[in-house]
Amino acid sequence: SQTIHQWPATLVQPVGSPLSLECTVEGTSNPNLYWYRQAAGRGLQLLFYSVGIGQISSEVPQNLSASRPQDRQFILSSKKLLLSDSGFYLCAWSPGGGGPSTDTQYFGPGTRLTVL
Amino acid sequence: QKEVEQDPGPLSVPEGAIVSLNCTYSNSAFQYFMWYRQYSRKGPELLMYTYSSGNKEDGRFTAQVDKSSKYISLFIRDSQPSDSATYLCAMSPLNAGGTSYGKLTFGQGTILTVHP
């Protein structure tokens, strides 16, 4: 079965510091990978998605970037955090290929980021 | 107007009650509908998905889709305190809308509390 991991689970960072959040998926190959942010009381905002190694698409211009160095690894980064970057960051995967199963996304446990 | 509207609640019901959670949408291209459950400080968990109008049942949960009215519902029978969570609806065009990734549109989530 497939498993998705995220770390760290919780992070408190000062404004202006760098950020690196990691997501890995087990039990599948060539997944689509996604980064979302969920602010308190608001829905899920898609930040980045990737359909393959080195292929990253951004949905929202912001202070963040993403990379996919390996097939099942997805990293969210920032060089300098802003207060507005605080939130709950979720990684998700779906089967690749563009067929019906591509629509179904499975989420990781999330990272709660507080920027002070 | 948001593409997907979901009453944020909160909704509070006694144990054993039937719960109805609803979403409306405006994009007629949506053909694939999902419900996620999200416990506090956790990632969303996929509960049910359906492609077609009508009802789909899984244990105490029933997903209902009315494409003519652009309205979907999730019913929970014999609700339990363990059902207390935020419920998110999500939807997408079929087959990822011709893209190679799953672009989901989420509702804001409804907070449900089932009290003993």
Side-chain angles (χ1 to χ4, degrees), chain A residues 32 34 36 38 41-44 46 49 51 59 88 90 94 97-110 112, chain B residues 32 34 36 38 40-46 49 51 88 92-104 106-108:
Chain A
N32 289 344
Y34 310 83
Y36 288 88
Q38 187 176 36
R42 301 177 70 175
L44 289 162
L46 179 64
Y49 67 90
V51 299
E59 284 287 300
F88 192 45
L90 289 158
S94 72
S101 60
T102 297
D103 298 310
T104 306
Q105 295 183 22
Y106 302 91
F107 287 84
R112 188 160 303 278
Chain B
Y32 182 52
M34 285 153 278
Y36 287 86
Q38 185 176 21
S40 180
R41 308 180 78 85
K42 302 291 185 182
E45 169 196 9
L46 181 65
Y49 62 89
Y51 292 99
L88 297 154
S92 76
L94 196 59
N95 294 332
T99 68
S100 56
Y101 75 101
K103 185 175 175 64
L104 298 183
F106 286 86
Q108 295 291 93

Side-chain angles (χ1 to χ4, degrees), chain A residues 8-19:
Chain A
T10 305
L11 191 60
V12 180
Q13 292 284 89
V15 169
S17 64
L19 173 74

Side-chain angles (χ1 to χ4, degrees), chain A residues 14-33:
Chain A
V15 169
S17 64
L19 173 74
S20 181
L21 303 182
E22 190 165 341
C23 169
T24 59
V25 181
E26 297 177 353
T28 187
S29 297
N30 304 313
N32 289 344
L33 297 172

Side-chain angles (χ1 to χ4, degrees), chain B:
Chain B
Q1 182 188 7
K2 293 179 182 176
E3 281 191 297
V4 178
E5 298 275 2
Q6 183 175 7
D7 186 342
L11 185 61
S12 181
V13 301
E15 183 175 355
I18 297 174
V19 176
S20 173
L21 304 165
N22 311 297
C23 288
T24 58
Y25 62 96
S26 57
N27 188 347
S28 59
F30 290 147
Q31 300 289 324
Y32 182 52
F33 306 93
M34 285 153 278
W35 285 96
Y36 287 86
R37 176 175 63 195
Q38 185 176 21
Y39 291 116
S40 180
R41 308 180 78 85
K42 302 291 185 182
E45 169 196 9
L46 181 65
L47 271 181
M48 298 186 71
Y49 62 89
T50 183
Y51 292 99
S52 57
S53 285
N55 294 348
K56 180 178 181 179
E57 191 173 316
D58 183 2
R60 297 185 295 110
F61 298 90
T62 299
Q64 185 177 82
V65 175
D66 182 347
K67 291 184 182 178
S68 62
S69 300
K70 296 188 178 66
Y71 188 88
I72 69 171
S73 299
L74 178 71
F75 297 98
I76 306 174
R77 292 185 301 279
D78 186 26
S79 57
Q80 303 295 310
S82 58
D83 295 327
S84 298
T86 297
Y87 289 80
L88 297 154
C89 65
M91 47 197 79
S92 76
L94 196 59
N95 294 332
T99 68
S100 56
Y101 75 101
K103 185 175 175 64
L104 298 183
T105 302
F106 286 86
Q108 295 291 93
T110 299
I111 300 170
L112 171 67
T113 301
V114 181
H115 51 86

Side-chain angles (χ1 to χ4, degrees), chain A residues 19 21 33-38 44-50 56-66 74 76-77 84-85 88-91, chain B residues 103:
Chain A
L19 173 74
L21 303 182
L33 297 172
Y34 310 83
W35 278 112
Y36 288 88
R37 177 167 57 205
Q38 187 176 36
L44 289 162
Q45 179 187 33
L46 179 64
L47 301 175
F48 300 93
Y49 67 90
S50 172
I56 310 294
S57 296
S58 173
E59 284 287 300
V60 181
Q62 62 223 321
N63 185 42
L64 303 169
S65 62
F74 207 21
L76 183 70
S77 304
S84 57
D85 291 323
F88 192 45
Y89 288 83
L90 289 158
C91 181
Chain B
K103 185 175 175 64

